[in-house]
Amino acid sequence: MKKTVRISFEGKTYDVEVEVLDSAVAAAPAAPVAAAPAAAPAAAPAAAGGTEVKCPLAGSVFKLTVKVGDKVEANQEVAIIEALKMENPVVAPCAGTVNSISVKETDTVVDGQTLMTIA
């Protein structure tokens, strides 16, 4: 199974495609297959009429850079997930206002988990 992971290094953001060989080894680093400049992740409509911001990888919430009621722009950093001792930014898939935040700093999160909604 291939996954795309967003990595920031020296102020530049890259989307890297990796291959997960086994779910038991999912926490181990995989070799990068391709790198390209970052693009906004696909927006998923939320049940409450907003857009869900999904966690791109398993880890822990290192920092939330927005709070409920904040206005955000598309591709604005809204959270940082720590995984494998790396800080991975999570960006807003669209412009809007933060409706809800379903995690707090230090929470453990999994790939695909909803972090917040933007309306």
Side-chain angles (χ1 to χ4, degrees):
M1 172 172 69
K2 291 188 179 184
K3 291 197 169 270
T4 302
V5 181
R6 178 161 291 137
I7 298 173
S8 291
F9 180 71
E10 295 182 353
K12 293 184 181 179
T13 303
Y14 302 93
D15 285 347
V16 180
E17 186 175 299
V18 295
E19 185 174 359
V20 179
L21 301 175
D22 182 357
S23 61
V25 211
V33 176
T51 300
E52 293 180 345
V53 179
K54 301 278 191 170
C55 186
L57 72 167
S60 65
V61 180
F62 178 71
K63 185 176 185 181
L64 293 170
T65 58
V66 295
K67 59 186 182 303
V68 173
D70 284 356
K71 293 196 181 304
V72 295
E73 297 297 322
N75 297 316
Q76 176 182 333
E77 182 179 276
V78 294
I80 299 172
I81 303 299
E82 183 179 22
L84 300 171
K85 304 211 182 218
M86 292 178 57
E87 294 177 10
N88 303 280
V90 178
V91 298
C94 63
T97 303
V98 178
N99 257 2
S100 65
I101 299 177
S102 52
V103 295
K104 63 184 184 316
E105 291 180 1
T106 73
D107 279 358
T108 300
V109 290
V110 296
D111 182 22
Q113 180 176 341
T114 299
L115 302 176
M116 61 188 70
T117 57
I118 298 173

